[in-house]
Structure formats: structure tokens, C-alpha cells
């Protein structure tokens, strides 16, 4: 194939969707006739092209039949038999508009025919109209797709010639240049080993130091062999495993490699990642010594590729440092891959796989998202909860003046709440810094988060205008202050529930849900216990002065008798909160 045609073909493959062309709109394949399905075409055709004549004159109609075993898609053209890389020749007329449609390739209208849907068909009939400037010899070519990864490219059909023109000798057939190169595939003879990691191999393992033979271990290794690199990839997946080299920690413009399980047969493909869309599979395969293994719930693939591949567009040089992604997900029966349900494993820095061998881990949660989750947990599990308990039940216990003439309980409450505002504000900014803007894929989490942030800012602003203790509006302020804070806490808990299962953090299920339910029960239980204790103290009081009973405040003199009990409960409560917090932080650090 000539260089310009090859360049166009590669451009097409980089922009064609991974799901193919089920509606037959395959104009992008006009030049190469190659479907960008990410695998090599079959070599021995099962389908045939027949015509009702061997000669033609300008304006003549030639009946063309494509037939064979059931197929889903097809693409038919007529070309100059002596220059099969030249543009399509002539135009077509349809015989059945239900299963076929006309396409315009280049400047020639109706110069190709394709399918209209994936409905299975056994034969197609069309009519070719010879143009006035037809070449001496014309050959019909067809690409046939049996299913997504099983297809034939440029199946050669009969050659028709103008009268009094000698038939070309030898007969011309579709050139093999348009066909992607394929390499033999074998089975992996023995399980992968991590014994050479950090010594001869550059390895990535998750969890750290796991055995690649384990059913829970994701393993990726690189070993340089002169001018090439051998790659091993393994993990618990029924669908696909994939890794990619990237210049940053974002999907987009990356060099990707996919290992896809299709009906218990594994295909290896190279691809380009374009932002957050499906990978764009390449029709040419730069991989050698491809082998695979399916056993014990593990999908394992290995291959070798050269360090430098200047002839393959989109393939990175392997002697440069990159971030490395490792992802897994589901695949359909036809080999179509679905978006990974959880965040890919990403290295924490740039690494050169042909440099000094290392044995590293990775994280499925970016550092900024980890920090976001950690700060929110500190704010809404620890500081807010303790601050509310102190303000609600410790006014008579810590009523003595402390700093600037303010009671101790108020100073503690104010310090904890201001800490909450600071932590929440910092945490609120981090996802926007990481995403570079608003996330459209986080569901209700960011909307509720913005509501929590607004209430968090509004609460101290409202407290700054607090009326004096005996002012008529103090009771109204108390209700607003309590309702705003309670609403913020409820929304914060709901937001954390939603955020724990987002792909960017995705704490382990069902541990995260049970832990959050446990924390809510712990807080509510402590609150109820202290309320019951306060009620019992009030009931014991001989006199209740009406002017000292205020809404949401238990200020009876009898409550002072329960100081020791409250301090014990508070100590246990704080310790319990710290336990919950440490557990969350440990898990966040491990994802």
C-alpha cells in the first residue's frame, strides 16, 4: 500500500469506535476496507462473489452476488484490477434496501455497498453500473464480518473486462498489504513468577508483594531482552485485563494493551486511549510471541514487543518514563469491552520499565481524592460529632470561664467547629483541582457536597450574629443554628455514603457501608444515652425554674450531678470515633 493510503487507514483506525459499525456507515473504511475491530482478519475466505458476465461496456449493469455462511456485515467495491489500491470504480444500484445501502467513497457517488444492520444474512445481490471512464479490467472486492472479531478483508471476486481487451495474466487478487499482520498465539506453559521482581523484572503488584498465582493478585511485569521487552500480565478477571503507558495520570493519548477473554479464547490487542471513551483498537498488531492462559479464575497474557516501533503510530518508546495504568473489566460474548467498574491501578510516579528493575505497587485512588476523603472523614466523623456532643450536654459541666472570659464548653465547641470548616473547605477544593472542573460521572455526590459546603460556611456566619443569651430572638437563633447544623450533618453522612463507592475512591464493599452504619449507630446511641441521662437528672430535681429551661438546652442545676458519667461517656465516645477514623484512613491509604 502506498504511504498516503496507509496514513489515512491508520487515522481511520484511531478514530473509529470500538463497537464497530452496526449500521453499516463505514465510509471511514473506504480506502482500506478494514474494519477497526482490533484483531487480524481471517486468511481463508468462506464467502464468494459471483457475477453474471465477464465483459462490460460503459453504462452496462453487472449483477453481483455475495454469498456464504451467515454474516452480519459486508462492504463491496469495484476497483481497477491492475491497481487495487486505487479508488472505487463505478456505482451500484440496490436490489434489496432492507439489508443493503449505498455509500459514497471519495468523489464517486454510490461507489460502495454495505449492510444496514447486524441482522444475519446469507447472500446479497446488487448491480454495478460501469462508468464511462472505466479501466480496462475491474475486480470486485468484499469485506465480510461474520461477528465482531471474525472477518475477512478484500475477498477477491471475479474480474470483468471491456471487450477486445486481453484478460490480465496472471489473475489479480486482493493485495495482502491491506491486511494487518498477525502472529501465532500459544498457551502459557507455566504460571507467572514474581521471584525475579526487582532483580531482573520491573513489576507492579496489587496488593503489594502478592503472588501472581493468587486469585486476588493483579500482576504486571516487564523484562528487557536486548532490543525488545517481554510483558506478563495477570489478574482475576472474566472479561479483560489492560494496561497503558501515559504521560500523566489521566486517560487520554495513551498507549494501551488489552487482553480480552472471548468465549474462553483470549485476544491480545493494542489500542489508543482517547480521553474517557472506549479504547480505539488498532488493526495492525505490533505484538510478538503472544500467549495466554485461563485457569483458576485468572486471566494471564504474555507477549513481546520491540522498544522502538517507529512504523506503528501510537506506540510509545519503552525507554522513557511513564505513568502505568492497570485496569480490568467485563467483556461481551463478541469481545466488546465495557468500562471498568472501578478506578484503574495507577503508579504513584513516572517509571522507566527498561531502567533499574523495581518491584512497586500502585493505587486505585489518586492522592488528591484520598486526601479529600480523609479530610472529610476527620471533619464529619471526629470534629463535628464531638463538637455537637460538647455543646449539647457539657454546658453545666464545663461552665467555668477559660479564655477571653468564655466558658470552656464554648471554647471547645468553637475550636472543633472552626476546624471542621477549615478541613471541609480544603477537602472541597481538592476534587476540582484533580478533575480540573466539575465531574459529570459522580452522580449526586458533588451536588450534595456543594450543599454541605454551603451550610458549613453559613453556620459560622450565622453564629457571628448570635443574639445575647437573654435577647428575645435567642430562642429563634437556637432553632436555626440547630436545624442548619443537623441538616449539614445528615447531608454529609449521605454524601460520604455515596462517595465511598465512586470509582475514584471505591472503598471495599461491603466493609465501607457496614462501617458507616456502625458509626451512625455509635453516634446516635451515644446521643440517646446522654439524653436519657439528662432526663433522669431533670426528673430528680426538686425545683425546675421555668426561666432556666430553654429549647434544646438542658441547664437545670441537677445536671451538674452527672459530670463524672458524662466525662466517662465522652472519653469512650472520642476513643470510639478515633477507632472509626483510623480504620477509614488505613483503608483509604490501601486503595
Amino acid at each position: 500500500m502506498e504511504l498516503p493510503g496507509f496514513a489515512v487507514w491508520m487515522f481511520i483506525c484511531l478514530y473509529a469506535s470500538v463497537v464497530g459499525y452496526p449500521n453499516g456507515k463505514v465510509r471511514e473504511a473506504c480506502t482500506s476496507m478494514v474494519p477497526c475491530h482490533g484483531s487480524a482478519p481471517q486468511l481463508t475466505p468462506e464467502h464468494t462473489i459471483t457475477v453474471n458476465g465477464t465483459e462490460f461496456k460503459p453504462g452496462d449493469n453487472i449483477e453481483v452476488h455475495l454469498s456464504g455462511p451467515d454474516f452480519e456485515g459486508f462492504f463491496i467495491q469495484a476497483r481497477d484490477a491492475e491497481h487495487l489500491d486505487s479508488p472505487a470504480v463505478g456505482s451500484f444500484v440496490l436490489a434489496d434496501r432492507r439489508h443493503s445501502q449505498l455509500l459514497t467513497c471519495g468523489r464517486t457517488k454510490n461507489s460502495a455497498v454495505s449492510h444496514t444492520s447486524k441482522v444475519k444474512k446469507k447472500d446479497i445481490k446488487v448491480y454495478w453500473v460501469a462508468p464511462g471512464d472505466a479501466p480496462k479490467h475491474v475486480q470486485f472486492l468484499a469485506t465480510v464480518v461474520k461477528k465482531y472479531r471474525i472477518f475477512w478483508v478484500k475477498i477477491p471476486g471475479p474480474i470483468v473486462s471491456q471487450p477486445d481487451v486481453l484478460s490480465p495474466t496472471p489473475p489479480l487478487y486482493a493485495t495482502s498489504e491491506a491486511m494487518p499482520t498477525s502472529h501465532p498465539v500459544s498457551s502459557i506453559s507455566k504460571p507467572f513468577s514474581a521471584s525475579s521482581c526487582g532483580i531482573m523484572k520491573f513489576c507492579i503488584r496489587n496488593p503489594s508483594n502478592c503472588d501472581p498465582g493468587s486469585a486476588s493478585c493483579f500482576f504486571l511485569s516487564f523484562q528487557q531482552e536486548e532490543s525488545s521487552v517481554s510483558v506478563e500480565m495477570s489478574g482475576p478477571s472474566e472479561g479483560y485485563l489492560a494496561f497503558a503507558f501515559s504521560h500523566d495520570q489521566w486517560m487520554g493519548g495513551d498507549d494501551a494493551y488489552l487482553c480480552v477473554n472471548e468465549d474462553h479464547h483470549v485476544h491480545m490487542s493494542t489500542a489508543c486511549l482517547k480521553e474517557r471513551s472506549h479504547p480505539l483498537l488498532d488493526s495492525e498488531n505490533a505484538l510478538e510471541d503472544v500467549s495466554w492462559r485461563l485457569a483458576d479464575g485468572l486471566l494471564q497474557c504474555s507477549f513481546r514487543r520491540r522498544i522502538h516501533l517507529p512504523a506503528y503510530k501510537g506506540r510509545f518508546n519503552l525507554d522513557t518514563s511513564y505513568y502505568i495504568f492497570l485496569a480490568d473489566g467485563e467483556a461481551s460474548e463478541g469481545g466488546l469491552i465495557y468500562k471498568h467498574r472501578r478506578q484503574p491501578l495507577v503508579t504513584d510516579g513516572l517509571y522507566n520499565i527498561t531502567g533499574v528493575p523495581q518491584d512497586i505497587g500502585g493505587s486505585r485512588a489518586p492522592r488528591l481524592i484520598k486526601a479529600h476523603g480523609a479530610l472529610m472523614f476527620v471533619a464529619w466523623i471526629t470534629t463535628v460529632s464531638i463538637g455537637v456532643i460538647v455543646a449539647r450536654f457539657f454546658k453545666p459541666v464545663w461552665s467555668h470561664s477559660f479564655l477571653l472570659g468564655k466558658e470552656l464548653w464554648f471554647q471547645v465547641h468553637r475550636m472543633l467547629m472552626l476546624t471542621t470548616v477549615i478541613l471541609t473547605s480544603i477537602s472541597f477544593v481538592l476534587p476540582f483541582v484533580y478533575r480540573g472542573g466539575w465531574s459529570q460521572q459522580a452522580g449526586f455526590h458533588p451536588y450534595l457536597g456543594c450543599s454541605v459546603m454551603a451550610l458549613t460556611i453559613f453556620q459560622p456566619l450565622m453564629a457571628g450574629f448570635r443574639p445575647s443569651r437573654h435577647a428575645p430572638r435567642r430562642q429563634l437563633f437556637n432553632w436555626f443554628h440547630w436545624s442548619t447544623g443537623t441538616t449539614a450533618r445528615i447531608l454529609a453522612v449521605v454524601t460520604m455514603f455515596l462517595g465511598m463507592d465512586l470509582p475514584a475512591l471505591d472503598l471495599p464493599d461491603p466493609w465501607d457501608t457496614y462501617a458507616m452504619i456502625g458509626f451512625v449507630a455509635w453516634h446516635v446511641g451515644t446521643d440517646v444515652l446522654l439524653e436519657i441521662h439528662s432526663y433522669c437528672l431533670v426528673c430528680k430535681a426538686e425545683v425546675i425554674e421555668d426561666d432556666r429551661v430553654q429549647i434544646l438546652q438542658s441547664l437545670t442545676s441537677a445536671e451538674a450531678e452527672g459530670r463524672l458519667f458524662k466525662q466517662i461517656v465522652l472519653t469512650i465516645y472520642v476513643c470510639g470515633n478515633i477507632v472509626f477514623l483510623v480504620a477509614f484512613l488505613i483503608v483509604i491509604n490501601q486503595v
Side-chain angles (χ1 to χ4, degrees):
M1 184 181 290
E2 297 175 1
L3 184 59
F6 177 79
V8 172
W9 176 39
M10 289 301 296
F11 178 84
I12 290 166
C13 288
L14 289 174
Y15 285 90
S17 170
V18 70
V19 296
Y21 308 95
N23 61 0
K25 303 294 186 181
V26 293
R27 294 186 182 90
E28 293 84 354
C30 280
T31 302
S32 67
M33 299 185 69
V34 177
C36 294
H37 291 186
S39 58
Q42 306 299 307
L43 299 179
T44 305
E46 297 180 354
H47 304 79
T48 58
I49 306 172
T50 58
V51 295
N52 65 344
T54 58
E55 293 186 353
F56 71 90
K57 293 181 294 185
D60 283 355
N61 288 355
I62 300 290
E63 185 177 297
V64 182
H65 274 269
L66 173 63
S67 59
D70 286 349
F71 56 95
E72 296 179 352
F74 66 91
F75 189 52
I76 301 174
Q77 283 186 356
R79 295 191 178 184
D80 185 342
E82 296 177 337
H83 302 283
L84 289 178
D85 292 330
S86 60
V89 173
S91 59
F92 287 90
V93 176
L94 301 179
D96 183 359
R97 295 184 178 275
R98 294 176 303 167
H99 297 133
S100 57
Q101 62 182 329
L102 298 173
L103 298 177
T104 297
C105 285
R107 299 180 180 179
T108 308
K109 187 176 182 180
N110 302 335
S111 54
V113 185
S114 73
H115 54 283
T116 57
S117 70
K118 293 176 62 177
V119 173
K120 295 186 182 299
K121 46 195 92 54
K122 290 183 178 293
D123 62 88
I124 291 293
K125 180 174 71 172
V126 294
Y127 297 95
W128 178 71
V129 181
D133 57 350
K136 296 178 180 179
H137 309 285
V138 173
Q139 185 173 21
F140 296 97
L141 304 174
T143 290
V144 177
V145 178
K146 185 175 183 178
K147 61 180 188 177
Y148 186 75
R149 289 189 178 275
I150 302 178
F151 58 89
W152 295 262
V153 174
K154 288 187 177 180
I155 298 174
I159 296 176
V160 294
S161 305
Q162 296 194 40
D164 303 325
V165 175
L166 294 177
S167 298
T169 304
L172 299 180
Y173 298 97
T175 63
S176 61
E177 292 176 325
M179 295 187 179
T181 57
S182 61
H183 302 283
V185 178
S186 61
S187 297
I188 295 174
S189 58
K190 58 182 180 180
F192 295 153
S193 172
S195 60
S196 298
C197 288
I199 303 172
M200 299 178 63
K201 295 179 179 178
F202 184 101
C203 297
I204 301 172
R205 292 191 273 177
N206 180 255
S208 298
N209 301 318
C210 65
D211 181 359
S214 168
S216 61
C217 181
F218 288 91
F219 175 79
L220 179 63
S221 73
F222 306 90
Q223 183 172 358
Q224 183 175 358
E225 299 173 353
E226 296 181 352
S227 61
S228 63
V229 173
S230 292
V231 181
E232 296 175 334
M233 178 167 56
S234 174
S237 176
E238 296 294 333
Y240 71 90
L241 291 174
F243 75 92
F245 299 109
S246 177
H247 296 291
D248 52 37
Q249 291 183 301
W250 290 95
M251 289 180 60
D254 305 327
D255 178 11
Y257 302 81
L258 290 84
C259 181
V260 184
N261 178 9
E262 180 189 349
D263 301 330
H264 304 287
H265 186 85
V266 178
H267 296 276
M268 287 292 299
S269 304
T270 55
C272 178
L273 299 182
K274 182 184 178 184
E275 297 179 350
R276 291 180 173 271
S277 60
H278 285 284
L280 306 174
L281 303 183
D282 298 328
S283 290
E284 284 202 326
N285 202 337
L287 310 181
E288 304 175 23
D289 299 338
V290 176
S291 58
W292 58 272
R293 178 175 178 262
L294 286 171
D296 304 323
L298 288 175
L299 172 59
Q300 296 184 327
C301 299
S302 67
F303 63 88
R304 182 172 56 85
R305 64 147 281 190
R306 300 185 69 81
I307 295 176
H308 300 279
L309 291 171
Y312 291 84
K313 187 176 181 180
R315 304 280 73 79
F316 293 177
N317 293 332
L318 299 185
D319 54 359
T320 306
S321 296
Y322 304 102
Y323 289 99
I324 303 173
F325 290 64
L326 179 60
D328 66 293
E330 297 179 353
S332 69
E333 181 179 350
L336 300 179
I337 67 173
Y338 299 108
K339 180 182 177 182
H340 43 80
R341 291 184 176 180
R342 57 178 176 171
Q343 190 83 354
L345 185 75
V346 184
T347 58
D348 57 3
L350 296 165
Y351 291 94
N352 183 352
I353 62 171
T354 59
V356 178
Q358 298 186 56
D359 187 6
I360 64 172
S363 173
R364 294 188 182 274
R367 289 180 177 179
L368 289 177
I369 299 300
K370 283 185 177 183
H372 167 74
L375 292 176
M376 285 298 187
F377 279 125
V378 171
W380 295 95
I381 284 183
T382 307
T383 57
V384 159
S385 301
I386 298 174
V388 169
I389 293 290
V390 168
R392 181 74 181 90
F393 299 104
F394 280 77
K395 290 178 181 178
V397 178
W398 293 345
S399 58
H400 55 280
S401 299
F402 186 57
L403 292 175
L404 302 177
K406 298 292 184 180
E407 295 92 337
L408 177 59
W409 74 265
F410 179 76
Q411 300 284 21
V412 173
H413 173 74
R414 182 169 60 181
M415 178 189 68
L416 291 172
M417 291 309 178
L418 289 178
T419 302
T420 299
V421 173
I422 294 172
L423 293 177
T424 304
S425 300
I426 296 173
S427 178
F428 179 78
V429 174
L430 296 182
F432 291 95
V433 174
Y434 171 70
R435 295 289 182 187
W438 185 265
S439 174
Q440 300 292 339
Q441 304 177 4
F444 290 105
H445 179 78
Y447 296 98
L448 293 176
C450 289
S451 301
V452 172
M453 186 70 249
L455 292 174
T456 302
I457 297 297
F458 179 70
Q459 186 77 330
L461 291 177
M462 180 171 57
F465 296 93
R466 178 179 63 254
S468 62
R469 180 172 298 178
H470 302 291
R473 292 178 297 173
R474 181 59 180 259
Q475 183 175 337
L476 182 63
F477 165 81
N478 289 343
W479 275 107
F480 271 110
H481 191 61
W482 174 85
S483 60
T484 302
T486 303
T487 302
R489 291 169 62 206
I490 293 173
L491 289 180
V493 170
V494 173
T495 305
M496 287 191 289
F497 266 107
L498 296 176
M500 290 187 302
D501 290 326
L502 289 177
L505 189 60
D506 195 17
L507 298 182
D509 290 323
W511 180 93
D512 56 350
T513 301
Y514 293 156
M516 278 300 297
I517 292 174
F519 164 71
V520 172
W522 173 253
H523 177 77
V524 172
T526 302
D527 204 316
V528 170
L529 178 62
L530 289 174
E531 284 286 359
I532 293 175
H533 176 259
S534 299
Y535 177 75
C536 292
L537 290 178
V538 171
C539 290
K540 292 180 180 179
E542 296 181 356
V543 178
I544 300 178
E545 301 178 25
D546 294 338
D547 59 345
R548 297 184 63 190
V549 177
Q550 300 184 22
I551 297 177
L552 304 175
Q553 297 178 10
S554 300
L555 298 177
T556 65
S557 58
E559 276 199 272
E561 301 175 5
R563 292 181 179 182
L564 179 61
F565 177 82
K566 289 184 177 181
Q567 289 175 349
I568 293 174
V569 171
L570 180 63
T571 301
I572 297 175
Y573 178 72
V574 171
C575 292
N577 280 30
I578 293 175
V579 170
F580 277 109
L581 178 62
V582 171
F584 275 113
L585 295 182
I586 290 174
V587 174
I588 288 175
N589 184 57
Q590 292 178 345
V591 295

